[in-house]
Amino acid sequence: MKQNKHDRILLAHGGGGKLSDELIRKYILPRFKNPALEKLPDAATLNLDSNTLAFTTDSYVVKPLFFNGGDIGKLAVCGTINDLAVAGAKPVALSLSLIIEEGLEFSVLERILDSIARAADDNDVAIVTGDTKTVEAGAAEKIFINTAGIGTRIEGVTLGFDKIAPGDKIILSGTIGDHGMTVISQRKDIRFQTQLKSDCAALASLTGELLDKTAGVKFMRDPTRGGLAATLNEISKQTRLTVQISEADIPVNPTVRAAADMLGFDVLNIANEGKFVAVVSPDCADDCLNICRNHPLGKQAALIGQITETTDLPLVEMATKIGGKRIVQMPYGRELPRIC
Amino acid sequence: MLERIYKAQQLMDAACKTLGRQINIMEVCGTHTVAIFRNGIRTTLPKAIKLLSGPGCPVCVTDQGYIDIVLDLAQRDDCIIATYGDMIRVPGSNGSLETKRSAADVRVMLSSTDALQLAKDNPDKTVVFVAVGFETTAPATAVVIKEAAEEKRENFCILSGHKLVVPAMRALLAEKNDKIDAFLCPGHVSVIIGYGAFNEIVNDFSRPCVVAGFEPMQIIEGLAEICRQLSQGKAELKSIYTAAVTEEGNTTAQQLIAECFEPADGCWRGLGRIKKSTLKLKDKFSRFDALKRFNITETPVEDTTGCRCGEVLCGLIDPPQCALFGSACVPETPVGPCMVSSEGACAAWFKYGRKKQR
């Protein structure tokens, strides 16, 4: 193959001509070898072993592109896998769309593509279709990625808000805030030295095992943007039930706690990329906890609370470590570092 | 820990019985405000203890006139505005830095040093550092002013909104709210100014002043100490934040402030103009003063929104008593500054317990 003369992405790489072809054949195809993709059809044809499918999509715009514990590529694969996983599906195939800003170094693109390939391989998920576009310098933040994912519904599993009932227990699969605090700490305008590491990981192997081995899982969600607070508030809002949690039982990495305190952030509002919340029937809570704790991605799993009847308005209420109580509100979008 | 909390609670219960009336304790530190809400401390206290969130959040006490000057400067093509995060959402008379951000060059900074670096990186623009905060952030501003002077960095200046805590406490008691029984004094500020600085409040106004840290245990024990003093009819100065606060404070930081700034009369939201309560650059550094650089005169701005942040800051009302609270004024679209900062009283009330907490 002819050597690429360019070391950066040009607008022409998205123009549909020679350079586009070179970008796809030289950089993308070799990394994602599979029968569905090889002949570059307009649409992938898949043979699946179930006709109940889960289908999801998500776009990734993280800054910086590379952070301790992951990068935008790994995130784009794991994030979409996780959306399928918490819906009770086994992830099968992903699409991959790249929106690349003119001027992005090929070396950076290659690192991201390698990471995507590795994450897809590790999780036995194929990239079966895709697209690349380029935009003018300044119109994007180096690269934006969209992935859509298809999964087959795990047999006998139906999850949903409507299954949740008073008395159900809430399990959290591990520490919170790791991803969000890592990314914030490595942002150019904030940057401080820490030992933080993103929890970016694909959860399908853990959720799959949980759903295979127990029958009491009623609902799962990965607390990404908005953190644990957003997920619990969504549960309360959709079910009109009250969510009670205990601060002392929520696992938080001490470095994450310290960094969040320093910036004045509430760790409950900080994003996670490798955790899930599961609402389970009370009789199988211990089993679920054990399964999580015996899996590498759920070692610090904890029972953090329960669902109760609502007396006034449905809300999320937290018993604090000192024996007080407070309401956990839906976060309002953007955490700002405080002044002193 | 729970044992110590129980002991403090018993002390407070006993004090409340002895006094037989409501006890109004004001905290003058945004970090205390948040810690009190985040830990649900109000729900652990006897009903007779009322906590008031005073003028302790730098964003909240900044008056409208100052915000309007920042917004005007943001409109200039030759300026980059460097600001601490929470300032960008404070509404001025016409929009906020956040709404102006797409048209203006506004950068969020974590430190004053970053702002000076920004000036070095952008020699063709003037970086205006929105220097707000109490004695905690003023030394950091002083450091960069000295550095800018040494480097002859002419494309850097500050708009000083720095404020002093003790003059505000005096003004509160003397003119606005004499129902405040005691102060839970700020931990961070006390690290700099020393707990001795609150002696004048104890001596001149006979109000207990207790300096506490930010762990919930510290706050509860600080409140218990205040209750003990009040029930015994005493007003004393005490610091229980012994790990970080000394009587004289951080003299190096104090010298830095004294070297670059001098106290000046200035406007506070809710409290109005207070004598010698703000920090103004000394004459020898006046070329770094954005007001002088851009020939701006401060004009008092009348707040016409119906926002009652001023009364909240004086401890005269609780946030839910403001008609705008939770309806027109919510964290997404704040009308007043106390709803903006995570440390603002209104934001804390809204976020952590508008339904259940007193």
Side-chain angles (χ1 to χ4, degrees):
Chain A
M1 200 177 289
K2 201 169 72 178
Q3 199 60 30
N4 188 349
K5 295 188 291 289
H6 313 286
D7 60 355
R8 286 171 188 270
I9 288 284
L10 306 176
L11 266 185
H13 280 111
K18 262 190 179 173
L19 286 185
S20 291
D21 191 59
E22 184 183 284
L23 173 64
I24 293 165
R25 290 191 190 279
K26 185 172 169 196
Y27 291 94
I28 298 178
L29 278 190
R31 288 181 165 85
F32 307 115
K33 281 201 163 142
N34 64 68
L37 189 63
E38 250 159 33
K39 288 177 188 151
L40 291 179
D42 283 336
T45 309
L46 307 172
N47 286 314
L48 303 174
D49 50 12
S50 162
N51 21 355
T52 311
L53 300 180
F55 180 36
T56 187
T57 182
D58 209 340
S59 298
Y60 299 85
V61 294
V62 67
K63 190 164 103 176
L65 297 177
F66 301 91
F67 46 84
N68 196 14
D71 56 76
I72 191 170
K74 182 181 179 188
L75 202 59
V77 173
C78 295
T80 296
I81 288 179
N82 290 347
D83 285 346
L84 295 170
V86 295
K90 178 185 181 303
V92 177
L94 300 184
S95 72
L96 173 69
S97 289
L98 309 174
I99 295 171
I100 312 172
E101 185 186 12
E102 175 188 18
L104 180 76
E105 299 93 333
F106 270 99
S107 58
V108 172
L109 180 65
E110 285 192 277
R111 272 177 74 191
I112 294 169
L113 291 170
D114 283 341
S115 175
I116 293 172
R118 205 175 311 122
D121 262 3
D122 288 351
N123 292 286
D124 207 13
V125 172
I127 309 283
V128 294
T129 185
D131 181 48
T132 55
K133 291 280 187 300
T134 52
V135 293
E136 283 173 33
E141 190 64 46
K142 292 183 179 163
I143 185 168
F144 296 155
I145 301 180
N146 172 277
T147 53
I150 286 182
T152 48
R153 178 69 70 80
I154 296 171
E155 212 173 311
V157 173
T158 44
L159 305 175
F161 288 116
D162 55 330
K163 310 271 179 225
I164 299 173
D168 286 348
K169 302 289 183 192
I170 302 164
I171 286 173
L172 174 66
S173 71
T175 55
I176 56 167
D178 300 78
H179 174 75
M181 287 318 301
T182 304
V183 171
I184 290 164
S185 74
Q186 294 185 8
R187 285 240 311 269
K188 197 173 141 224
D189 50 355
I190 289 186
R191 193 179 289 268
F192 52 88
Q193 295 293 322
T194 64
Q195 301 296 309
L196 295 170
K197 189 178 176 193
S198 166
D199 58 347
C200 179
L203 294 162
S205 62
L206 174 52
T207 55
E209 194 179 330
L210 203 56
L211 294 169
D212 277 346
K213 291 186 178 167
T214 65
V217 180
K218 299 182 165 191
F219 174 83
M220 289 193 287
R221 178 155 289 183
D222 50 338
T224 53
R225 276 179 308 178
L228 184 63
T231 298
L232 296 177
N233 270 286
E234 193 61 27
I235 292 173
S236 173
K237 186 178 161 197
Q238 295 287 340
T239 60
R240 310 290 301 161
L241 295 170
T242 286
V243 173
Q244 287 181 336
I245 54 169
S246 155
E247 186 181 23
D249 294 327
I250 300 172
V252 183
N253 172 340
T255 326
V256 169
R257 165 94 59 208
D261 281 351
M262 191 179 94
L263 294 173
F265 293 172
D266 188 342
V267 74
L268 293 176
N269 298 351
I270 307 295
N272 309 279
E273 287 293 346
K275 300 291 157 31
F276 65 83
V277 170
V279 181
V280 306
S281 63
D283 52 326
C284 85
D286 286 342
D287 285 349
C288 289
L289 208 51
N290 285 333
I291 292 167
C292 289
R293 285 178 177 167
N294 286 320
H295 189 285
L297 292 174
K299 279 186 184 145
Q300 287 179 269
L303 184 69
I304 61 162
Q306 60 274 321
I307 308 289
T308 63
E309 291 283 5
T310 295
T311 46
D312 180 9
L313 286 167
L315 45 81
V316 180
E317 195 172 60
M318 181 163 85
T320 63
K321 282 181 184 165
I322 58 153
K325 273 186 180 174
R326 71 137 152 127
I327 293 168
V328 178
Q329 292 275 4
M330 185 65 122
Y332 44 87
R334 184 164 172 221
E335 296 267 313
L336 292 168
R338 65 149 183 242
I339 290 173
C340 74
Chain B
M1 180 174 81
L2 289 174
E3 213 167 277
R4 278 169 68 188
I5 291 172
Y6 182 63
K7 206 174 142 197
Q9 279 169 335
Q10 278 185 317
L11 222 160
M12 288 189 271
D13 277 334
C16 289
K17 275 199 193 107
T18 310
L19 287 167
R21 64 169 174 93
Q22 182 168 298
I23 302 173
N24 300 312
I25 304 174
M26 177 173 274
E27 85 270 359
V28 270
C29 168
T31 314
H32 273 153
T33 304
V34 170
I36 285 165
F37 277 98
R38 205 174 265 178
N39 293 291
I41 287 176
R42 275 182 166 79
T43 62
T44 70
L45 302 178
K47 283 195 167 51
I49 296 181
K50 182 162 176 73
L51 297 184
L52 308 168
S53 303
C57 145
V59 168
C60 308
V61 296
T62 303
D63 75 305
Q64 191 100 18
Y66 179 93
I67 307 286
D68 286 350
I69 293 174
V70 178
L71 291 173
D72 282 347
L73 289 172
Q75 299 302 304
R76 297 178 64 110
D77 291 339
D78 55 349
C79 283
I80 301 177
I81 304 293
T83 173
Y84 292 122
D86 356 16
M87 285 301 286
I88 73 164
R89 300 186 65 221
V90 183
S93 301
N94 177 25
S96 69
L97 284 176
E98 191 170 51
T99 58
K100 298 263 188 273
R101 210 175 179 184
S102 52
D105 197 346
V106 179
R107 317 273 182 99
V108 172
M109 303 281 127
L110 260 197
S111 77
S112 55
T113 324
D114 294 344
L116 186 59
Q117 185 60 44
L118 191 64
K120 290 178 194 171
D121 296 343
N122 294 275
D124 53 335
K125 297 265 179 119
T126 297
V127 169
V128 182
F129 178 53
V130 181
V132 294
F134 296 98
E135 290 92 334
T136 41
T137 52
T141 307
V143 167
V144 291
I145 288 294
K146 286 182 67 181
E147 206 178 316
E150 272 161 32
E151 293 175 4
K152 300 193 170 34
R153 178 80 43 205
E154 299 306 327
N155 69 326
F156 178 78
C157 62
I158 68 159
L159 187 63
S160 178
H162 285 302
K163 293 192 162 47
L164 305 169
V165 168
V166 176
M169 290 163 72
R170 294 189 69 96
L172 253 179
L173 288 172
E175 294 160 30
K176 297 285 179 183
N177 188 353
D178 61 0
K179 302 267 185 314
I180 300 164
D181 291 307
F183 286 104
L184 184 71
C185 295
H188 291 140
V189 168
S190 300
V191 171
I192 307 291
I193 66 174
Y195 66 80
F198 299 103
N199 245 325
E200 56 178 279
I201 304 290
V202 176
N203 293 337
D204 297 351
F205 296 94
S206 299
R207 300 297 203 282
C209 285
V210 175
V211 177
F214 304 102
E215 290 300 320
M217 197 63 247
Q218 279 266 317
I219 295 173
I220 290 174
E221 289 186 336
L223 295 173
E225 167 61 20
I226 287 172
C227 288
R228 181 194 67 80
Q229 292 185 26
L230 288 171
S231 70
Q232 294 172 0
K234 292 178 177 164
E236 295 167 355
L237 173 61
K238 186 157 184 185
S239 168
I240 61 164
Y241 195 19
T242 47
V245 175
T246 59
E247 185 169 5
E248 68 279 8
N250 181 337
T251 48
T252 314
Q254 291 167 20
Q255 276 161 15
L256 272 168
I257 297 177
E259 215 175 311
C260 296
F261 294 103
E262 58 195 3
D265 300 354
C267 285
W268 292 58
R269 191 177 294 256
L271 295 166
R273 204 163 179 83
I274 304 176
K275 280 209 157 150
K276 298 203 165 174
S277 66
T278 60
L279 291 174
K280 160 179 166 251
L281 279 173
K282 283 192 164 165
D283 280 346
K284 66 171 174 174
F285 294 111
S286 64
R287 67 183 186 284
F288 297 109
D289 186 337
L291 293 177
K292 298 221 165 88
R293 174 92 47 114
F294 297 103
N295 209 6
I296 304 165
T297 29
E298 280 181 283
T299 42
V301 177
E302 211 39 49
D303 190 345
T304 53
T305 57
C307 159
R308 298 177 73 184
C309 277
E311 288 161 89
V312 170
L313 289 169
C314 294
L316 295 168
I317 62 165
D318 283 334
Q321 287 171 263
C322 173
L324 304 178
F325 179 85
S327 51
C329 185
V330 291
E332 296 90 330
T333 50
V335 177
C338 299
M339 191 58 97
V340 172
S341 169
S342 57
E343 305 202 335
C346 298
W349 271 86
F350 188 87
K351 184 170 179 190
Y352 295 116
R354 75 198 133 124
K355 295 185 194 86
K356 289 222 164 154
Q357 291 185 336
R358 298 196 297 284

